[in-house]
Amino acid sequence: ARHELPWLPQGSKPPPEYVQQFSYGSFLYHLPERALAAMGCAVGLMLSELIRKGLNQAGQQDQQQQEHENIHRILDFTRYCIRYTNVYPLVRMIDIKTNLAYHFITVKGHVTKARPKRLRVVTADFQCAKCGEASPHRFRDGRYVPPDRCPTPKCRSRNFTLCRSTARYIDVQQIRLQETQDESTVDAGRTPRQINVEVTHELVDTVNTGDVV
């Protein structure tokens, strides 16, 4: 999936416009959050179109209208989590540096520890204390940081109230990976390297201590 650009300095990141237009593989490697979200939207649109065509072929106009409303209601509250398997090349733990932060990479290792799952708030609405306007807000990296100013034009207030009923949570679990025997034997006599990995959604509680993932 990775594509090297010879005209870029070593370790530099290509412009977002080039990444999105060049190829999906490059888009996925350099901007994984946006690439996975885009693929999820594409899957949702494809499914809705296939369902719509199936209903049109079934006949019965009244039943079609009701089914259309039910499907759109389901799709509006559905999130598609895209997962890729067998992505190569593998990145050795010794080669994981800060320049790979926020990139799409593949790592292999033994699970040495699996912590209990916990909840994390990802989005919630905040109501402005001045104009009363409620707006959605996303929490980055699980950090509870409220908005710094109101998005309403001519307001720009900095005081907000959390609308707790609108908060959306996901399951989160932290596991610890240790490099495989093939990697650790390259430098004999040293302690095997380890890395903490965070899994979310349906990947929670899917591995146990001793598994190779």
Side-chain angles (χ1 to χ4, degrees):
R2 182 175 178 178
H3 183 83
E4 296 293 346
L5 306 177
W7 48 270
L8 278 178
Q10 182 68 24
S12 298
K13 188 175 182 179
E17 298 80 8
Y18 180 87
V19 170
Q20 296 182 48
Q21 295 179 8
F22 186 80
S23 71
Y24 181 77
S26 181
F27 187 22
L28 178 64
Y29 175 74
H30 292 286
L31 300 171
E33 288 191 4
R34 294 171 61 180
L36 292 173
M39 182 60 73
C41 291
V43 170
L45 291 173
M46 179 193 67
L47 290 177
S48 62
E49 181 66 17
L50 291 175
I51 295 173
R52 184 187 65 81
K53 289 183 178 180
L55 291 176
N56 290 338
Q57 296 175 359
Q60 297 183 359
Q61 187 68 25
D62 294 340
Q63 184 179 0
Q64 285 183 24
Q65 182 65 27
Q66 182 63 35
E67 290 296 332
H68 274 297
E69 294 177 359
N70 293 337
I71 290 169
H72 283 296
R73 191 178 300 111
I74 294 173
L75 292 176
D76 287 341
F77 292 94
T78 302
R79 177 180 179 182
Y80 298 93
C81 297
I82 306 300
R83 308 297 184 197
Y84 293 97
T85 58
N86 300 323
V87 179
Y88 293 95
L90 292 173
V91 178
R92 301 184 306 167
M93 290 190 186
I94 191 176
D95 296 327
I96 298 178
K97 310 295 182 183
T98 55
N99 65 313
L100 292 179
Y102 303 104
H103 285 60
F104 189 87
I105 63 174
T106 304
V107 181
K108 182 179 180 180
H110 291 275
V111 179
T112 60
K113 189 173 186 179
R115 295 182 179 274
K117 68 178 180 180
R118 54 189 175 86
L119 290 177
R120 171 184 292 172
V121 60
V122 289
T123 60
D125 290 354
F126 282 84
Q127 186 175 25
C128 178
K130 183 178 180 181
C131 68
E133 184 72 18
S135 57
H137 181 70
R138 184 176 182 84
F139 302 101
R140 288 287 181 182
D141 300 325
R143 299 177 181 176
Y144 181 82
V145 180
D148 55 358
R149 60 179 57 188
C150 180
T152 304
K154 300 181 181 180
C155 179
R156 302 302 182 185
S157 173
R158 297 178 181 272
N159 297 321
F160 300 91
T161 301
L162 172 65
C163 303
R164 297 183 180 275
S165 60
T166 64
R168 186 174 69 86
Y169 301 86
I170 61 171
D171 289 330
V172 178
Q173 184 184 26
Q174 189 178 81
I175 63 176
R176 181 173 298 169
L177 293 183
Q178 179 177 292
E179 59 186 351
T180 59
Q181 185 176 1
D182 294 339
E183 294 184 37
S184 60
T185 53
V186 175
D187 300 325
R190 64 168 177 81
T191 303
R193 293 178 176 84
Q194 296 184 343
I195 187 173
N196 291 327
V197 179
E198 191 174 82
V199 296
T200 60
H201 297 94
E202 81 285 353
L203 297 180
V204 172
D205 287 338
T206 57
V207 297
N208 299 305
T209 302
D211 292 347
V212 177
V213 295

